[in-house]
Amino acid sequence: MKAAWDWHLPMETEAEQRAVVEFAHALGFDTLIVPGPTGAMARRGEALGVRVIAIVYARPTEAFVKDHPACLQRTLPEEEEVAAALSRAPAGYQHLSHRWFQVVQDGDLLCFEHPESREALKGRVSRALEVADGVSFDGFGFLNHYACFCDRCRKMRAGQASDGAHEAEVLGRMSEESLVALSRMLYAHAKDVKPDALVTNHVWPPFRPNWYYGCRLRLDYCTQTISWFYKPNWSLEQVAFEAAEHKRLEDRRANRFVPFIGLYGDPYLVRPPERVAKELEIAAHYGDGHVVLCNLETPKQYPKIAEVVKAALRGM
């Protein structure tokens, strides 16, 4: 799988939708992952040999929030205060503070232990597969990056013997099992709906108790970050370490590891073409010919980066 994630290029008209597929194909990608793919994109993808995959998010709709407030994730009161404070931070705070991710995410996330949440996610998968060649899961994690504190999750944990383990270990273990179980359920559902559907993801947000849990998720391809969007840029040594560690942990009974390279085109954030080439070289070495680049706006905006991407994909 040589995949491009994108949600930046214009897709309002059918011509624009087809153009995104054509640009991905011109660069050498065989898979395009976008939110809300259309029939026009799917048809153009089929003609060019590009699979068009729908992103499935874990954020609830406004209607779900109204109808099922108990089925949303909850954090500790102190964490809610942190989230509220961060919501008042200046624009661009993530760049100013040089944070890879926020301490506590804002907004709402589904709690994956509620049947209503699971059914909502299954419905999203079913609807996506009416058009798309597969689904890609994004945002499947925890607001505080380690656990949910809704009433249902609290009761479930209270009913589990901790065998003397520290509370943090119990939280981490049960949260990880929740994410793994959800992946198995949604993978099976996707294959029931469309047996040849491609099922993939991006491991995000990070899961603090076990940064490398992605190797356990049930997927066709598990895309895991080896280079992130924001500065300070990870050293090439760290990029190589992340790729090597994910490859070492790969369990093909669960999924295949695919390196994920995050790349934004903002002048402050864009990386030199030579640097991007090195990252793609590392991805090629550890990814067995599989790679994900996010997003297409950057090579569209910077022709030299586009040439680097084309050359790398030709060599994979």
Side-chain angles (χ1 to χ4, degrees), residues 23-237:
F23 183 58
H25 176 259
L27 290 174
F29 292 106
D30 59 29
T31 305
L32 174 64
I33 303 172
V34 292
T38 65
M41 299 180 79
R43 290 189 294 273
R44 192 63 183 131
E46 183 177 10
L48 295 174
V50 176
R51 292 174 295 194
V52 178
I53 308 302
I55 301 174
V56 173
Y57 295 105
R59 296 279 185 179
T61 63
E62 291 184 7
F64 188 94
V65 172
K66 180 181 178 181
D67 295 339
H68 306 287
C71 301
L72 305 176
Q73 288 188 23
R74 292 287 180 260
T75 58
L76 295 173
E78 296 80 5
E79 292 170 335
E80 293 177 3
E81 293 175 9
V82 170
L86 288 175
S87 71
R88 299 188 295 272
Y93 173 73
Q94 192 162 347
H95 296 176
L96 294 171
S97 61
H98 298 282
R99 287 191 175 276
W100 177 24
F101 57 89
Q102 294 182 1
V103 176
V104 182
Q105 293 190 68
D106 56 5
D108 291 312
L109 272 178
L110 298 170
C111 172
F112 310 124
E113 293 299 335
H114 289 264
E116 296 88 343
S117 297
R118 298 192 198 113
E119 288 304 310
L121 290 170
K122 287 167 68 175
R124 291 180 188 182
V125 169
S126 297
R127 290 188 293 274
L129 292 177
E130 291 175 2
V131 175
D133 298 308
V135 289
S136 187
F137 303 116
D138 192 25
F140 282 65
F142 297 96
L143 289 170
N144 55 17
H145 304 282
Y146 68 95
C148 173
F149 287 88
C150 74
D151 289 343
R152 185 181 184 89
C153 287
R154 287 178 182 271
K155 289 176 182 177
M156 288 176 61
R157 287 194 293 267
Q160 296 288 324
S162 67
D163 57 30
H166 190 280
E167 180 185 9
E169 182 180 346
V170 175
L171 281 172
R173 183 170 64 236
M174 294 189 66
S175 296
E176 183 172 330
E177 291 304 322
S178 177
L179 295 173
V180 172
L182 181 70
S183 76
R184 292 173 181 159
M185 181 201 72
L186 292 179
Y187 179 88
H189 178 70
K191 297 296 184 176
D192 284 343
V193 173
K194 182 180 286 189
D196 61 348
L198 185 147
V199 183
T200 184
N201 74 331
H202 174 222
V203 175
W204 180 262
F207 181 59
R208 282 179 169 153
N210 179 9
W211 292 80
Y212 300 100
Y213 82 100
C215 60
R216 298 187 59 206
L217 298 174
R218 186 67 182 103
L219 303 156
D220 294 318
Y221 298 103
C222 183
T223 74
Q224 305 199 70
T225 302
I226 66 167
S227 185
W228 195 232
F229 297 102
Y230 303 115
K231 288 188 174 181
N233 296 327
W234 297 0
S235 69
L236 289 174
E237 289 78 10

